[in-house]
Amino acid sequence: MDAQGRGRAGDNNVDPADQWVFDPNTGNYELRLDHAGQAPARPADRKTAGSRRAAGRSGGDTDTRPLPTQRARGDESADADERPGVGRASRRAAGSRAAAAAAGPAGRRKRKPKKSGKQKALYWTAGVVGFVLVAGCGGAFYLYQQLNGNISKVDVGVENDAVSDGPVNVLIIGTDARSGKGNSGYGDAGSVGHADTTILMHISKDRSNATALSIPRDMITDIPTCPTKQKDGSTKNIPGEHGVRFNTSLGQEGRDPGCTWRTVEKLTGLKINHFMMADFNAVKSLSTAVDGVEVCAGKDLNDPKSHLKLKAGRHIVKGEQALAFVRTRHAIGFGSDLDRIKMQQQFLSSLIRKLKSSAFSSPGKLYDVSQAATKALTVDTGIGSANKLLDFGTDLKKVDIDKVTFATVPVLDNPDDPATVILNKTAADPLFAMVRADHALAKGKKGKGKKSAPAKKAPPEQVRVDVTNGGGPIGSAQETVDWLQNNKAAKLSTNAGNAPAKLAATRLEYAPNQADQAATLADWMGLPKSALKKSSQNAGDRVPMKLTLGKDFKAPGSPIEAPTETPDGVQNVNADDKNVCAK
């Protein structure tokens, strides 16, 4: 067996991708193994078995077809006749067929006509589907065990089922750890790493859409106390911190991915199902396994720090060049981490498109990608085996690529530290609410179709309202009044104390002649139409509207109803958009 594990003639070890045999009776590729790991003879019916054996003794094999071939690693230009292992078997099979053709038919059954290109593609696809389901084939136990052994996992104290019948939230973490094979030479040698790149992927309950939220590494946030499993099996509680960089949620103070998991849950209000963590080497290996990823440069890019050097235009990047692309920031925009996030989103969108279009184009390609992915990722115990990952991936691939949107959690410059940013709650709160409600982020322009004329709104200084607390958190009425007066300039708002009864839902009562005031307040508070209660008679001068905060109220500025349109100020791009270029 050669260095890549591909079988040579006479060897007992055969690459799993080379064990797919074309069965002319069914028109499909099937996985066949004997005790030595070799593909057995093809099936024959009893009537022609004797003539087949005779043909075999005379050197003719009337039903032999070439096995599915696998691209030879390290030689991207090699054609089928030059590939190790499989190429030799294919050449021998081709010679056998030539001999059989010269000698004439060996049995009574006529040779099947040559398949058209379209028919070949259909049969090839059938073989690939079988390879995807390899975990269910008894003969592929070797491959299953091999992939299983590649997977690294971390027990974060939460173990969810691999497949859920509800929405799914997957935390994708890119660590800048400098330890381990393939991760040296990037500065900070031996660093335990940070949460350098973090994306929360939300997949809707009906699998109709997905939103990938990039979380800026330099955003100031709070990290909760994290129970962390130690090597001896014990659990250590790592104290939380207030007002620190988000990226310190991993690696620092001994924090594991579970700390980043809990930090993101606290930030977004979304419950995470699973995490996947990758290091520098993952970008290199995955981009190479798919034969490169197409990226676009809107101008010449030259970043000595990341070693990226690209001319303006489209390029196929893989290996070190792919890593340089996702790491660069000094050559684009203002040189900030927010600019680098755009590069990463472009790369990941293109990688998803490549995986969808070509990763399953052959058993060999699928094998390469499977090996690269399982070796590159560290996951939670809920998806910490090959069969669980297979179930998990099969569930998530139901989402169409044009329904996947990348967005960045909105932030503002930190007035206390120009090297960091702070959460822009005005835009972030409705964004998080929108994702929690499974609403897809709009593709292109916000909204679809014609909109009704907007209701007339009163200016802030004319909005007069009494606020009572009828089920919200303690102090909500005063907190809301402060927000209305200081953030919205609604000086005629007052705290009317606690409501006489608790309400499940927030309610705004107003008179017909206060409709413009109600429209303004409803817009500020994110109130649904069901929350608006109009009386039958007009109100007198200086009579306020009445806003009762119900149990659905969380905080002022946090919409009661999740929006259906992407909030202003939220950067987003669709994964199917091929026209995104880095500038």
Side-chain angles (χ1 to χ4, degrees), residues 5-221:
R6 286 154 175 75
R8 298 184 184 276
D11 288 342
N12 289 330
N13 295 315
V14 178
D15 187 283
D18 300 339
Q19 297 168 347
W20 288 88
V21 179
F22 185 87
D23 184 350
N25 295 321
T26 64
N28 291 327
Y29 286 102
E30 296 180 357
L31 185 65
R32 304 282 180 77
L33 298 176
D34 64 10
H35 293 295
Q38 299 291 329
R42 290 147 180 80
D45 58 60
R46 294 180 178 178
K47 293 182 179 180
T48 60
S51 60
R52 289 180 185 281
R53 286 193 294 271
R57 287 192 295 270
S58 64
D61 184 0
T62 58
D63 283 335
T64 301
R65 301 284 180 103
L67 304 184
T69 58
Q70 180 170 353
R71 176 183 57 77
R73 294 178 185 169
D75 186 3
E76 296 171 5
S77 63
D79 61 22
D81 290 338
E82 296 299 323
R83 292 168 185 162
V86 178
R88 297 183 181 184
S90 298
R91 291 196 294 276
R92 286 196 300 274
S96 297
R97 288 194 299 277
R108 285 175 288 178
R109 188 177 59 181
K110 293 183 179 180
R111 181 186 297 277
K112 290 189 176 183
K114 186 177 181 181
K115 303 292 184 292
S116 67
K118 184 175 181 181
Q119 286 175 312
K120 286 182 178 178
L122 290 173
Y123 290 136
W124 184 250
T125 302
V128 172
V129 171
F131 198 83
V132 170
L133 300 176
V134 75
C137 301
F141 184 71
Y142 157 74
L143 177 60
Y144 166 76
Q145 288 292 85
Q146 188 180 51
L147 294 179
N148 227 25
N150 291 342
I151 300 170
S152 298
K153 52 191 174 185
V154 174
D155 183 356
V156 297
V158 179
E159 183 165 343
N160 296 318
D161 292 337
V163 177
S164 168
D165 58 2
V168 176
N169 295 300
V170 186
L171 188 64
I172 303 169
I173 306 171
T175 174
D176 59 352
R178 265 68 171 186
S179 58
K181 183 179 179 181
N183 292 313
S184 59
Y186 305 107
D188 297 335
S191 170
V192 295
H194 306 73
D196 194 56
T197 298
T198 305
I199 298 174
L200 177 60
M201 177 74 80
H202 173 84
I203 299 92
S204 65
K205 179 178 180 178
D206 61 4
R207 307 298 186 260
S208 66
N209 68 84
T211 300
L213 294 178
S214 293
I215 303 174
R217 66 175 190 178
D218 295 323
M219 184 181 69
I220 299 300
T221 191

Side-chain angles (χ1 to χ4, degrees), residues 368-434:
D368 284 348
V369 173
S370 299
Q371 284 280 13
T374 51
K375 287 181 179 179
L377 296 175
T378 297
V379 300
D380 62 281
T381 52
I383 50 174
S385 67
N387 64 324
K388 289 180 179 179
L389 271 176
L390 178 63
D391 292 342
F392 179 63
T394 302
D395 180 37
L396 299 193
K397 74 177 183 181
K398 298 173 185 176
V399 183
D400 292 334
I401 192 170
D402 63 346
K403 297 299 190 296
V404 178
T405 305
F406 283 87
T408 303
V409 171
V411 292
L412 301 169
D413 291 336
N414 185 358
D416 299 325
D417 180 5
T420 61
V421 293
I422 57 176
L423 185 69
N424 179 357
K425 282 185 64 65
T426 301
D429 285 346
L431 173 63
F432 296 153
M434 187 175 180

Side-chain angles (χ1 to χ4, degrees), residues 314-508:
R314 296 188 177 276
H315 304 269
I316 302 296
V317 298
K318 59 182 176 180
E320 291 286 353
Q321 195 176 35
L323 178 60
F325 187 86
V326 299
R327 291 186 66 225
T328 193
R329 62 185 176 94
H330 297 286
I332 55 172
F334 296 103
S336 71
D337 182 56
L338 298 177
D339 293 307
R340 180 168 60 177
I341 284 175
K342 295 177 184 178
M343 301 282 280
Q344 294 167 349
Q345 291 176 348
Q346 181 194 155
F347 178 86
L348 289 172
S349 296
S350 185
L351 177 60
I352 292 173
R353 293 195 298 270
K354 188 66 175 285
L355 286 169
K356 284 273 189 178
S357 65
S358 67
F360 305 103
S361 60
S362 72
K365 176 58 61 182
L366 181 57
Y367 177 75
D368 284 348
V369 173
S370 299
Q371 284 280 13
T374 51
K375 287 181 179 179
L377 296 175
T378 297
V379 300
D380 62 281
T381 52
I383 50 174
S385 67
N387 64 324
K388 289 180 179 179
L389 271 176
L390 178 63
D391 292 342
F392 179 63
T394 302
D395 180 37
L396 299 193
K397 74 177 183 181
K398 298 173 185 176
V399 183
D400 292 334
I401 192 170
D402 63 346
K403 297 299 190 296
V404 178
T405 305
F406 283 87
T408 303
V409 171
V411 292
L412 301 169
D413 291 336
N414 185 358
D416 299 325
D417 180 5
T420 61
V421 293
I422 57 176
L423 185 69
N424 179 357
K425 282 185 64 65
T426 301
D429 285 346
L431 173 63
F432 296 153
M434 187 175 180
V435 175
R436 288 193 297 266
D438 273 0
H439 294 170
L441 269 65
K443 181 178 180 180
K445 295 182 179 180
K446 297 194 303 178
K448 295 181 180 180
K450 295 182 179 180
K451 294 183 178 180
S452 58
K456 181 182 177 181
K457 295 179 182 179
E461 63 272 13
Q462 293 181 11
V463 175
R464 188 187 297 269
V465 60
D466 283 350
V467 182
T468 60
N469 189 357
I474 296 175
S476 292
Q478 186 58 51
E479 186 180 5
T480 300
V481 169
D482 291 342
W483 180 76
L484 289 171
Q485 293 186 355
N486 298 326
N487 293 62
K488 300 299 182 182
K491 303 301 181 182
L492 299 180
S493 55
T494 56
N495 179 1
N498 291 326
K502 299 291 184 181
L503 296 180
T506 298
R507 184 171 63 198
L508 175 63

Side-chain angles (χ1 to χ4, degrees), residues 251-295:
Q252 311 310 299
E253 308 300 329
R255 296 187 177 105
D256 68 4
C259 289
T260 308
W261 176 316
R262 292 171 176 84
T263 301
V264 173
E265 285 189 337
K266 182 176 181 181
L267 174 70
T268 64
L270 289 155
K271 285 293 181 183
I272 294 174
N273 300 79
H274 303 289
F275 86 85
M276 294 181 171
M277 184 171 68
D279 56 19
F280 288 149
N281 201 49
V283 176
K284 294 187 290 184
S285 61
L286 279 171
S287 60
T288 301
V290 298
D291 294 329
V293 176
E294 184 181 70
V295 296

